[in-house]
Amino acid sequence: MSTLFLILFVFSHSLCVLQTQGLNSADEVNDSLTYLWPLPSEFTFGNKTLSVHPQLSLVVGGNGGNSSILRLGFDRYKAIIFKNSHGVSSFDRIRGRRLSYDVTKLKVVVHSDSEDLQLGVDESYNLFVQKKDGQSIVGEATIEANTVYGALRALETFSQLCTFDYGSKSVQVYRAPWYIRDSPRFAYRGLLLDTSRHYLPVDVIKQVIESMSYAKLNVLHWHIIDRESFPLEVPSYPKLWKGSYTKWERYTVEDAIEIVSFAKTRGINVMAEVDVPGHAESWGAGYPNLWPSTSCKEPLDVSKSSTFDVVSGILTDMRKIFPFELFHLGGDEVNTTCWSSTQHVKQWLQQHNMTTKDAYQYFVLKAQEIAISKNWTPVNWEETFNTFPTKLNPKTVVHNWLGPGVCPKAVAKGFRCIFSNQGVWYLDHLDVPWEDTYNAEPLEGINDVSQQKLVLGGEVCMWGETADTSDVQQTIWPRAAAAAERLWSRREATSSRNGNLTALPRLQYFRCLLNRRGVQAAPVTNFYARSPPIWSGSCYDQ
């Protein structure tokens, strides 16, 4: 970042170090807190109120200033910021009043022209909102970022600073000047979406992706297929999607490409999952030979080379859709009874001097080889690590889910890890209170700094057995936001002993912000996570 902005930031610390923003009303929410979610890394502010012009214009600079992703992002956020504002009112026009505004332009400087979106892309940014009064070095609102994705994160923060004032019918920024230097704590901040247990229309997936951007989540883990259904088109094996629930509950290749493109313009990667060898009964609806037998349909038949031809064909087709470097191969909950009870598979095991545990390892490692040959880094659920850690490919990313303590063991052996402890970060566990989600710590039990760096981040998981279009958003939000701040913000800033005073009001405010943006986020503190309010009252106190 430029020396100018560094000087500005250091100077601003003398004004008010880590003070907090309040709303412009004593009767709304606690004005001793900062109503930005997730909390930025470093910030200061003053005590002025600035008005924002309803025709706010974009001024760009840097090698990446002309990015279409930036311009689309600006247009999206401008629509959000001025949703309630309709420009100069008819009364002011009649009176001939000429209104003046403090902020008329948003200058965005993006240093890199690269739009490559991969794990660890630079999402840092500086944001300055200052009145142009002839004395300040920087006037109005300015964003500086190394990449367009950092600029998108800054636009989200800027949009949260902008508040519609109903008295003046204008958009205002309170507690200016704002000086914010921000970057994420973890590179991987994910949400799993399961479209096998219940089909989700493309527009609903897009709505989820849009809402993810509001909390600065950056990976959609698309659990597309499972034993219940196979909704994705695979051109190399067109009968696979006979495993869909109906012919109307399917995703074409074009649908998937559209979802990936939509996510990229919001700085979100899409990591696809093909869960093998278990969780794959639906594959046999189109290709019954993939089953060990018609009466014993899972795991996939390990004894046939054609099984791995299908796996390779699926991954070949999916590589044309999903550019993200990580690919999830599942590997969890593999019950090998079918292998030991089906005669031809049992005979194959004997010929190869394998136990069913050996065959499980054989299948997982062969699938990893296929994925790596297509330039993917394999991700596997933790059972693979728990069962044969010394055999896994060193590139493997271990995905924790069964409970705590797995990431410390994985990183101690040199593997990278993603934290998703089901006790706190499985969103279908509806009785988990928000504070348990918020206080979960991906680095718990890992004190060595070099090992801490192997924890890529974490992911909340929206398994779909009890969630479909009717309730998926209110099951995801707002608890996913609690994990999002844990993954973005500094650990020290989110480790207060009294979260009910420091985090809860802010999370309730963010929930209401989501509601205003059209996201069906549920009340924060209801025992049954997605249940509606029990009585009348303000959005900010449910």
Side-chain angles (χ1 to χ4, degrees):
M1 299 297 180
S2 72
T3 303
L4 169 62
F5 287 147
L6 181 60
I7 293 171
L8 279 170
F9 182 77
V10 172
F11 171 74
S12 69
H13 263 281
S14 65
L15 299 178
C16 49
V17 178
L18 291 179
Q19 294 183 40
T20 47
Q21 175 196 13
L23 300 181
N24 203 31
S25 172
D27 60 357
E28 287 182 353
V29 289
N30 185 345
D31 64 2
S32 68
L33 300 175
T34 302
Y35 292 93
L36 294 175
W37 196 282
L39 201 65
S41 301
E42 302 174 83
F43 59 92
T44 64
F45 56 85
N47 56 11
K48 298 178 181 179
T49 298
L50 306 184
S51 59
V52 185
H53 199 293
Q55 301 300 322
L56 183 71
S57 61
L58 173 66
V59 178
V60 299
N63 294 330
N66 289 321
S67 166
S68 60
I69 292 176
L70 172 59
R71 294 182 181 277
L72 288 170
F74 174 78
D75 290 342
R76 284 197 311 276
Y77 280 106
K78 185 176 178 179
I80 289 172
I81 292 169
F82 297 103
K83 183 177 181 179
N84 292 60
S85 178
H86 304 285
V88 180
S89 73
S90 56
F91 294 104
D92 289 328
R93 289 194 189 97
I94 293 171
R95 297 184 186 124
R97 288 180 58 188
R98 295 184 63 185
L99 300 180
S100 60
Y101 296 91
D102 300 307
V103 179
T104 61
K105 296 182 180 68
L106 178 61
K107 182 177 182 180
V108 182
V109 178
V110 179
H111 294 299
S112 172
D113 61 359
S114 172
E115 294 182 351
D116 185 42
L117 181 61
Q118 288 292 352
L119 183 67
V121 68
D122 191 338
E123 297 173 273
S124 65
Y125 66 88
N126 291 335
L127 170 61
F128 304 92
V129 186
Q130 168 69 290
K131 184 176 181 179
K132 195 168 186 178
D133 56 9
Q135 297 180 359
S136 59
I137 302 173
V138 176
E140 305 184 317
T142 303
I143 289 169
E144 184 186 29
N146 289 324
T147 71
V148 67
Y149 303 110
L152 290 179
R153 306 301 175 230
L155 286 169
E156 173 59 41
T157 302
F158 178 70
S159 74
Q160 292 187 28
L161 288 176
C162 294
T163 304
F164 182 73
D165 179 79
Y166 283 85
S168 63
K169 297 183 180 179
S170 65
V171 172
Q172 298 181 349
V173 175
Y174 301 110
R175 297 294 178 88
W178 281 93
Y179 298 95
I180 297 173
R181 288 168 60 86
D182 201 9
S183 59
R185 183 179 173 211
F186 290 103
Y188 186 108
R189 307 180 304 282
L191 166 69
L192 178 147
L193 196 63
D194 174 7
T195 59
S196 173
R197 278 50 183 258
H198 283 99
Y199 174 83
L200 297 175
V202 171
D203 282 349
V204 174
I205 297 175
K206 287 182 176 180
Q207 290 165 14
V208 172
I209 292 170
E210 190 81 68
S211 66
M212 289 173 64
S213 69
Y214 301 153
K216 297 186 173 73
L217 293 175
N218 70 345
V219 178
L220 176 71
H221 174 178
W222 190 3
H223 190 86
I224 310 175
I225 56 183
D226 210 294
R227 61 169 60 103
E228 289 83 359
S229 72
F230 197 119
L232 181 68
E233 178 186 16
V234 179
S236 296
Y237 291 90
K239 294 180 182 178
L240 279 171
W241 69 357
K242 283 189 174 182
S244 62
Y245 287 119
T246 66
K247 63 182 179 180
W248 300 286
E249 294 171 287
R250 292 173 171 176
Y251 304 105
T252 64
V253 167
E254 291 78 13
D255 288 336
I257 291 173
E258 182 180 350
I259 287 168
V260 170
S261 176
F262 183 90
K264 181 177 181 178
T265 60
R266 286 144 183 86
I268 295 172
N269 277 301
V270 180
M271 177 178 70
E273 179 176 0
V274 173
D275 197 344
V276 292
H279 290 274
E281 180 180 333
S282 62
W283 299 32
Y287 297 95
N289 285 339
L290 291 169
W291 292 330
S293 72
T294 55
S295 60
C296 206
K297 301 179 178 180
E298 202 177 72
L300 295 169
D301 193 331
V302 67
S303 71
K304 296 175 181 174
S305 60
S306 58
T307 299
F308 297 98
D309 291 339
V310 175
V311 172
S312 181
I314 294 172
L315 268 59
T316 297
D317 286 352
M318 294 180 80
R319 198 58 174 118
K320 299 170 186 175
I321 302 171
F322 300 100
F324 190 39
E325 66 191 72
L326 301 182
F327 189 88
H328 210 299
L329 292 168
D332 61 313
E333 298 180 322
V334 179
N335 182 344
T336 58
T337 302
C338 272
W339 290 345
S340 57
S341 62
T342 303
Q343 186 56 38
H344 77 271
V345 181
K346 185 177 180 180
Q347 185 177 353
W348 182 86
L349 291 172
Q350 292 171 348
Q351 290 173 350
H352 290 79
N353 195 27
M354 283 189 188
T355 64
T356 54
K357 181 180 177 181
D358 295 332
Y360 167 43
Q361 173 185 305
Y362 170 79
F363 201 117
V364 168
L365 297 185
K366 198 165 182 65
Q368 285 194 336
E369 289 176 8
I370 294 170
I372 292 170
S373 73
K374 302 182 190 311
N375 200 29
W376 260 321
T377 297
V379 184
N380 282 100
W381 294 110
E382 68 175 74
E383 284 96 325
T384 58
F385 171 78
N386 296 338
T387 308
F388 42 90
T390 61
K391 301 297 184 180
L392 285 174
N393 190 289
K395 296 180 179 179
T396 304
V397 176
V398 177
H399 195 167
N400 151 251
W401 75 276
L402 285 170
V406 175
C407 281
K409 294 176 183 177
V411 299
K413 292 186 178 297
F415 291 104
R416 291 180 292 174
C417 191
I418 296 170
F419 175 89
S420 288
N421 179 358
Q422 65 172 338
V424 287
W425 280 10
Y426 266 32
L427 299 173
D428 58 315
H429 293 195
L430 301 176
D431 59 347
V432 176
W434 75 269
E435 58 267 31
D436 287 1
T437 304
Y438 187 77
N439 291 325
E441 175 48 54
L443 296 185
E444 184 176 1
I446 306 173
N447 299 317
D448 183 273
V449 174
S450 63
Q451 292 181 6
Q452 289 179 346
K453 293 178 180 179
L454 295 176
V455 178
L456 300 181
E459 173 181 294
V460 285
C461 299
M462 183 62 265
W463 295 106
E465 286 85 351
T466 64
D468 67 1
T469 296
S470 68
D471 61 359
V472 67
Q473 285 284 53
Q474 57 261 47
T475 314
I476 293 173
W477 305 106
R479 282 187 304 157
E485 181 159 279
R486 173 65 52 198
L487 291 167
W488 179 279
S489 306
R490 292 182 300 112
R491 187 173 183 176
E492 315 85 77
T494 56
S495 299
S496 170
R497 294 181 180 179
N498 196 338
N500 284 325
L501 291 179
T502 59
L504 177 56
R506 298 175 47 250
L507 183 55
Q508 288 174 321
Y509 181 87
F510 184 72
R511 178 253 173 170
C512 297
L513 179 145
L514 290 174
N515 287 172
R516 292 196 301 273
R517 294 185 181 185
V519 180
Q520 298 88 350
V524 177
T525 57
N526 284 9
F527 175 80
Y528 197 67
R530 61 185 173 215
S531 59
I534 58 173
W535 200 246
S536 58
S538 166
C539 175
Y540 300 95
D541 187 24
Q542 294 289 345

